Each structure stands twice: as C-alpha cells, then as structure tokens.
Amino acid sequence: MGRVHNKDWASIFLTIPDQVSRKVFILAGGLLVLILLPALMWNGLIQQGNASAFDMMLRLSPVRDSTGRESVVLLAIDDETVSRYGALPLNRAVIAEALNRVASARPKVLAVDMLFSERRREAADSALADALSRFPKVVLATALEAKQNGRQSRWIRPLPEFQRYAFALGHVHIEPDRDGVARTLLLTKADADSRYWALGFEALRAVLGVQEPPTEYSKGVMVGSRYVPAAASNDRLMWIHYAGPEGTFRRVSLASVLDGRTPASTFAGKIVILGVTAQGGGDRFYTPYSIGIGMSGIEIHANIIRTLLDGAYLIPRGPLSEVLALSAILALVAAAAWWRDGKLMTPVAISGVAVIPVFSYWMLRDGIIVPVASALAAHVSASLMGLLVDARFLRVRLGEAVERRQDHAFRLQAVAHEIKTPLTAIHASSQLITEPALPEEKKEAIADRIHKEAGRLSGIVTTFLDVERISAGVLKLQRREVELSALVLEATERAKLPAMKKRITIEQDLDAVAVSADAELLQYAVYNLLTNAIKYSPDGSSIRIALRSDPHMACLVVADQVCGIEPA
C-alpha cells in the first residue's frame, strides 16, 4: 500500500458529512476541556484571580448598617494618645484610668487586642487589674509564639492577675493568604497542650452569655443557639465578611476618653475593642478594602465580630459544587455550539463573560462565594473551542460555496454550448424557409425542423433550471425505472449531427440495463458527455460508448481519442 500524506488525511476527513464531523469536533473539544477542568480550577494563577475577583466584588458591595456594626466601638491607642501620654508601650495606669471611665457606662463586653503578658510597675498592673474587674465580661488576647531555635511553640498568655477577671482568652492570629491579604480566620488555634478560640468568637460567646464551650460538629459549631459554619476538615476556617474600609466602625481615641471629649455613655451596651493603632505599634494587615496601607488589627476584629453577630457568613462552594457548576457552564457552551449549527455560539460566548461576574456578585450578596476566575476560565476555554470548531467549518462551508459557484458557472457555460446547436439550426432554417423558390414540401420539412429544435431548446432550458433547483434543494428527482440503453441511444441520435460535421463515427456496445433515475436529467448528462467528447475529438476520429452492468451497479463509458488533461 502507498503511504497516505497529511494532505490526503485532510481530504479523507472532509469526506465525512459536515454535521457528523462538526459534532465529533464539539464532543472531542468538550471532553478535552472537561479533562483540563482541574487545572482550570485549582492552579495558582486562577486561584489568585478568584481571590482578586472576590476582593473587587466585596468592595463594590454597599456598606450597610447592621446590628453587628452598631454594636461595636473601637477604643484606640492612636497617635494622639501616644503624643500626649507617652510612648509605646503605654503606661498601664493610663490605660486603667481610661477603662475605669468606659466601665462606668456598663458596656456588654471588653475585648482586648493587646498582650498583657509581661510585668510592669506593680502599681500600674494593679490599677489595670482593678479596671478589668469593673467590666461585666472581659476577653483577653493570647498568641501562639512560633517555634524558634528548636524550641516548641508556646502560648503567650496574660498575667494571672489579669486572667482572674477574664471571661475567656482568645487568640489574635490573622493569617493572610499567599498574596498577603487577610480574607479568612481560623476560629481555633492550638499547640500540643492547649487550644484557644479566636478573640472575636469568644466575644460572641460573652455577648450571648454562653458559659459552656461551643458544641462542635463536622460542618460547624454551635454557640448557644447560634450556628457558625466552619468545617473541621478546613481547620474551622471562616471567611471574614468585611463591612467596609478602615473607619467603618466607630472609633474613639483613648486620649479623648481621658480628657472628657468622649462621654462614657458612648460605650453603654456596646462591645468595646481596645487596641493599638498608632504608627509603629499594633498590627496591620492588607484586606480586600486596603489601598496603600493595611487595616488595623482592632478594625479586623470588629469585622470578625460583626460577621458573627449578624450571621453574615460567606460560604465558598465545595470542590464538588465547583465541578458541577463548571460542568454546567461547559454543557451550556457545548449546547450552543451543537444547536442549529452553532448560531448561538457567539452570543453565548460574549454574554457569558458579562453574566458570570454579575451572577457571582449577586450570589456574594447572599453570602455565597463563586469562583469567578475559574468560571470565566472554563467558559472562555469552552467558547474558544466552540468558536474554533465554527471557524474550521465556516472555512469548509466557504470552500463549498466557492465550489458551488464554480459548478454554477460551468453549468452556465455548458448550457450556452448546448443552446448553440438548436439556435444555429433555427437560425439557418429560418433563413432558408424565406427563399421564394423553395418547394412547399421543403418549407414544411424546414418548419417541422424549426419546431423540433425549438422544443429541444425549451427542453435544454427546462433541464438546466431543474438542475439548478436540485442544487438549491428545492426540486426532488423524479425517479422511475429507465431503460438506460434506450436512453443512451436517444442521446446518441441527438449527437449525430455535430458528429457528422467532424466526420466522427460513434461506436456502441450497450447491454440492456434498467436503472432507477430521473430520465430527463440523466439523458442531459449523457448528452453532455457525448457532445464534449465530440467537441474535443479530432476530425475523422471515433468515439466508443460502452454500457455494462452487474447486480449492484451500471457503468457507462464514453471513450474518445483525445490526449486528455495531465493529472495534477
């Protein structure tokens, strides 16, 4: 066997029916995108895109008043406090004096985002302990010190005299994502010996007055009657639903409390969060709202408490839900490419790029995090595959259109050629019949010839129009049983006149064959073969017509003595 070259493979493929090959391409492309779906969903670039899209949509969300937001007041050791009452760490006696004034208004809870783990002057520590004792409930901060020089990690806890008045200790760890943005919180943190819940979570427990530890389930935890969705399989991770940028929560300078500018009533019935915001002190983290400078730790804790109090939880879709959602997108794009030869492919491809972010934004407002970048990557990949399939078959259809135009032009040329013979006969006969000396019987014969040639001319035009209608798909073949040898004989009889002019003999070797065909169109085709052979054959040559058959097919051969055209 000979080798098949690439060009030959393309030719073989193009012989597949257009609809079949197109659907094969769609199925193959859809399967390829489905196989690549994990890479589209969970690679680093797409995950970063999901995080950035989440940040942008959260920033677009309007800042709303809520119970959680109105319940929190931030007590900040800010630049003004440091400039007026001394450098950091601020004298604990100064902090105690301010807390005494705040405690007089009976706030619900005091949450302290400061580590009181080292001793200072005894009088100052005693004053701070006394001030803490005046609050109904106090949640103090603790932190897990990282491993260093082979030492095990350990908890940095407040001094015992401070712990004595604490409702609970809460960890203050904020662990940013890989891009440095703090979007989530681990509700629990543990070492080999101890485990603590987050400061904001313990503040919620204090507000609710729940003394017993939370009840833990695989998908979340219960604090009294409050359910917090934080799965054990994900280390009790909770997404922080930021209410807005820095300054969203009411903030009071410790200095303004000390000098009386802020009345104690400001803190009545509130959750008070004490912490450092002065430059060079306190922690700051980038959040979805941060531009240029990070958000202060006490503001982040306020957003955590607000998320818990309002139940404004943000729930990301699990891997299975993501796979199903992205598979649905692929199915939609595939359906658009499949249905009606892909006429909806372009509208679906364009609209999907707009619909997915808008849909994700509205889902986020309902607390559901949609992986926007993953969805867009799946949609764009599937759409590109569909558009490539459409482009490939558009090229094929354009090629077919060009071929149809060429065929049409060839048929026009053939009809013009066929029309010449009866027109020439009619023209010559019409001149001859006007001769005065021509006998009547000759005039009748010529008139009969003109009538026959006119009928033949009409038949040629009708046949041509029928062929055009068949090509356009608006005319069906009038099939019936046809004696093919008789049809060939009739076509040969019609071709004898042009053959005689060139002294060409036509030899016939015809078997009796019956076929199912449109007799007029088939005769037109046979006659066209004969006249072409006569046209290009040398004078005085011969043309042989052979008709053979077997049980499955008939074979008609028109053989002339022309050298022919060399194969390409």
Side-chain angles (χ1 to χ4, degrees):
M1 293 178 64
R3 297 181 63 185
V4 179
H5 300 285
N6 292 336
K7 184 176 179 181
D8 298 322
W9 282 116
S11 301
I12 292 170
F13 181 76
L14 290 177
T15 61
I16 302 174
D18 185 67
Q19 289 298 320
V20 175
S21 57
R22 187 177 185 281
K23 291 180 178 179
V24 168
F25 258 96
I26 293 172
L27 290 174
L31 183 61
L32 177 62
V33 176
L34 193 62
I35 292 172
L36 296 176
L37 198 58
L40 294 175
M41 289 173 54
W42 295 306
N43 71 76
L45 180 63
I46 296 298
Q47 290 302 312
Q48 182 57 51
N50 288 332
S52 298
F54 167 81
D55 295 348
M56 182 181 66
M57 289 188 293
L58 196 63
R59 288 195 298 268
L60 291 174
S61 301
V63 178
R64 300 175 179 176
D65 292 332
S66 66
T67 302
R69 183 184 169 199
E70 297 300 322
S71 299
V72 176
V73 177
L74 307 181
L75 183 57
I77 301 174
D78 56 5
D79 292 329
E80 180 189 0
T81 304
V82 171
S83 65
R84 293 178 58 185
Y85 294 96
L88 296 174
L90 192 65
N91 189 326
R92 287 177 181 171
V94 174
I95 298 175
E97 183 181 351
L99 290 180
N100 283 328
R101 297 188 182 189
V102 172
S104 67
R106 303 298 294 173
K108 285 185 179 179
V109 175
L110 172 66
V112 181
D113 184 22
M114 300 173 67
L115 294 174
F116 294 141
S117 59
E118 297 178 356
R119 295 192 179 277
R120 298 283 187 265
R121 289 186 304 166
E122 184 177 349
D125 288 349
S126 178
L128 180 58
D130 182 64
L132 294 175
S133 70
R134 297 175 184 273
F135 286 86
K137 292 185 177 66
V138 177
V139 179
L140 295 178
T142 183
L144 187 61
E145 186 180 48
K147 295 180 181 180
Q148 289 183 351
N149 301 323
R151 293 187 306 171
Q152 292 294 321
S153 60
R154 67 182 184 89
W155 284 102
I156 302 174
R157 299 180 178 89
L159 295 174
E161 53 264 41
F162 302 143
Q163 288 192 49
R164 184 185 312 159
Y165 303 108
F167 173 83
L169 302 184
H171 81 75
V172 289
H173 286 274
I174 302 293
E175 299 183 13
D177 294 339
R178 286 183 295 180
D179 59 355
V181 177
R183 300 182 181 90
T184 58
L185 167 75
L186 291 176
L187 289 182
T188 64
K189 197 81 175 170
D191 66 357
D193 301 317
S194 304
R195 178 175 182 242
Y196 290 98
W197 293 86
L199 183 78
F201 185 85
E202 292 292 9
L204 171 69
R205 192 163 67 91
V207 170
L208 298 177
V210 179
Q211 296 292 334
E212 60 274 6
T215 305
E216 299 189 49
Y217 301 97
S218 61
K219 298 296 184 181
V221 295
M222 289 290 296
V223 185
S225 60
R226 294 286 187 97
Y227 180 76
V228 180
S233 60
N234 207 17
D235 297 327
R236 302 296 182 197
L237 182 140
M238 183 187 81
W239 285 73
I240 305 171
H241 196 160
Y242 288 93
E246 184 96 21
T248 299
F249 293 85
R250 183 171 185 183
R251 181 178 300 185
V252 175
S253 170
L254 193 81
S256 71
V257 175
L258 290 170
D259 63 20
R261 282 177 295 153
T262 301
S265 60
T266 302
F267 305 97
K270 303 294 185 181
I271 302 170
V272 180
I273 305 177
L274 171 65
V276 179
T277 62
Q279 296 296 323
D283 46 2
R284 286 186 174 271
F285 296 93
Y286 286 101
T287 71
Y289 282 94
S290 297
I291 299 176
I293 187 170
M295 183 178 287
S296 62
I298 58 172
E299 188 100 22
I300 293 176
H301 288 298
N303 279 285
I304 294 169
I305 293 173
R306 176 258 171 182
T307 302
L308 293 165
L309 281 177
D310 290 342
Y313 303 114
L314 297 174
I315 311 297
R317 299 293 82 189
L320 179 59
S321 297
E322 284 191 36
V323 170
L324 292 176
L326 298 187
S327 299
I329 292 174
L330 298 184
L332 176 62
V333 175
W338 188 287
W339 191 61
R340 297 184 65 182
D341 294 338
K343 291 182 180 178
L344 292 179
M345 186 65 250
T346 300
V348 167
I350 295 173
S351 61
V353 175
V355 168
I356 288 173
V358 172
F359 173 78
S360 301
Y361 173 76
W362 285 106
M363 292 295 286
L364 183 64
R365 294 187 61 159
D366 289 335
I368 298 173
I369 301 174
V370 175
V372 180
S374 296
L376 285 174
H379 175 76
V380 170
S381 300
S383 297
L384 285 176
M385 188 66 69
L387 291 172
L388 285 175
V389 171
D390 275 354
R392 179 246 183 263
F393 284 95
L394 179 61
R395 179 176 61 83
V396 171
R397 286 193 288 270
L398 286 174
E400 291 173 349
V402 171
E403 290 181 1
R404 285 195 296 270
R405 288 185 61 129
Q406 291 174 344
D407 290 344
H408 178 71
F410 175 77
R411 287 194 297 271
L412 282 176
Q413 186 178 9
V415 168
H417 167 73
E418 296 300 329
I419 286 176
K420 282 182 180 179
T421 301
L423 281 178
T424 301
I426 291 171
H427 183 262
S429 298
S430 62
Q431 288 181 333
L432 188 60
I433 202 171
T434 59
E435 291 291 331
L438 195 67
E440 285 299 323
E441 60 272 14
K442 285 288 187 180
K443 288 183 178 182
E444 290 178 3
I446 292 173
D448 184 60
R449 183 180 179 189
I450 290 174
H451 177 74
K452 287 182 179 180
E453 293 297 336
R456 180 182 166 196
L457 179 61
S458 176
I460 291 172
V461 173
T462 300
T463 302
F464 171 73
L465 293 176
D466 287 345
V467 170
E468 291 299 306
R469 292 190 189 100
I470 291 172
S471 299
V474 297
L475 180 68
K476 293 184 178 180
L477 295 175
Q478 302 298 319
R479 289 183 177 273
R480 59 184 177 84
E481 187 171 314
V482 177
E483 180 60 44
L484 188 55
S485 55
L487 185 144
V488 172
L489 285 172
E490 185 178 346
T492 304
E493 190 66 27
R494 288 175 55 194
K496 279 185 177 180
L497 181 59
M500 289 173 61
K501 290 181 179 179
K502 298 182 67 174
R503 304 185 309 282
I504 294 174
T505 58
I506 300 177
E507 301 173 0
Q508 300 176 13
D509 183 9
L510 307 177
D511 291 348
V513 180
V515 296
S516 176
D518 188 308
E520 292 184 5
L521 295 180
L522 187 57
Q523 187 182 82
Y524 176 77
V526 174
Y527 178 73
N528 191 55
L529 280 174
L530 284 170
T531 54
N532 279 337
I534 294 167
K535 178 179 179 180
Y536 296 105
S537 293
D539 293 355
S541 60
S542 64
I543 296 174
R544 183 173 180 272
I545 304 175
L547 178 61
R548 296 288 182 267
S549 67
D550 61 31
H552 303 291
M553 63 180 293
C555 179
L556 176 66
V557 178
V558 178
D560 54 31
Q561 297 179 10
V562 182
C563 62
I565 302 174
E566 293 185 2

